[in-house]
Amino acid sequence: MSVPAVVLGASGYVAGELLRLLAGHPEFRIAAAFSQSNAGAPVESVFPNLTGLWPGFRFASPVELEEALQQPCAVFSCAPHGASAALVAKVLKLAGGRDAEVRIVDVSADFRYAAANAYEQVYGSAHGAPELLPIFSCALPEHRAKADTPHIGHPGCFATALLLACVPLMRFGLTDSPLFASGVTGSTGAGKQPLATTHHPIRHSNMFAYRPLKHRHAPEVEEVCAAVSGQRPRLRFVPHSGPFARGIHLTMQAALKPSLGGRQVREAFEQSYADAPFVHVTESPPRLKNVTGGNHAHLSVSVENGSVAVFVVLDNLVKGAAGGAVQWANRLYGFDETAGLAAPGPAWT
């Protein structure tokens, strides 16, 4: 029998991608899509690309959300950071009161830290549900064989690219130096609400750095990398806004330990992702259009004169968010990890 799926914060770009992926999933079926600002509106009025998939399907009201939680279900939270934790707490309270078993994958930043004070130092506000942190863990599926908690906090888009690059470097002890990373993201990474940095005349044919060396994803990546590799990196990250809608291109550089060569480095990455169906180590530096629209990530490594450069490309909305969340949900329910995600991106967009 299919598992009912509930989507919280269901009107943003990530939620739209999640609904698109769930529409073709063989094991999950949409039970409710909750959006407080759009309750009662047809889903296709916000996401016209979903027209015809669920005729008459509307965003759920709080009462309808409560009704959906009367049954065991998978819950995906796409609510903003700072708001998601309280909403998740409410969901667990409603579900627990009815003895309904739920598994939650949160795509916000609210469950990426193991301790509330670490979250509060980065985000500048109190955590919305610190009592829930012990039942959440944060990692990429590629870096943890199985979930050791009932619920998952997804690392996020830039963090996914950074972790794919840095975890093998740290796990295999390839470097003692700081990791210097520069990444470019598409405008969808800034969310659906229009901002000065996503306004088309500013973004078109333009490129610029933002929050250099101070981006909030850097300490998140350091914490998650330490948890899965046993080594905490010193990450120096400069993000950039690119003149395209979706995708991330990331370059990470570091000094290798003495006597290490290209063969050992490449073998470390190939071994790290040998059983990862969505991560592919390529011979030459990967190209963004080869992955946009799909849940696949491509990466390559170059070594010269004691230095390594790691290149990663992925779709920020799919592998970096909605697709990664579905991948974790597949794991939590014992489904094939590739269920609903195997289709490649369109490439020639």
Side-chain angles (χ1 to χ4, degrees), residues 90-108:
K90 180 180 178 180
V91 163
L92 286 173
K93 183 177 181 180
L94 289 170
R98 292 186 168 86
D99 295 322
E101 184 178 3
V102 303
R103 292 288 180 266
I104 298 173
V105 181
D106 184 86
V107 189
S108 80

Side-chain angles (χ1 to χ4, degrees), residues 6 8 32 34 60-71 73 90-91 93-95 97-98 100:
V6 172
L8 310 176
F34 176 67
S61 67
V63 172
E64 291 168 322
L65 173 63
E66 188 172 345
E67 291 174 352
L69 293 169
Q70 293 182 30
Q71 58 190 328
C73 57
K90 180 180 178 180
V91 163
K93 183 177 181 180
L94 289 170
R98 292 186 168 86

Side-chain angles (χ1 to χ4, degrees), residues 14-65:
V14 172
E17 284 295 278
L18 186 53
L19 290 170
R20 179 180 69 85
L21 294 173
L22 291 175
H25 200 286
E27 306 289 353
F28 294 117
R29 59 177 172 83
I30 289 291
F34 176 67
S35 170
Q36 189 167 0
S37 60
N38 291 283
V43 169
E44 60 191 39
S45 69
V46 175
F47 301 117
N49 62 307
L50 303 181
T51 297
L53 291 180
W54 304 293
F57 184 48
R58 296 177 177 272
F59 288 105
S61 67
V63 172
E64 291 168 322
L65 173 63

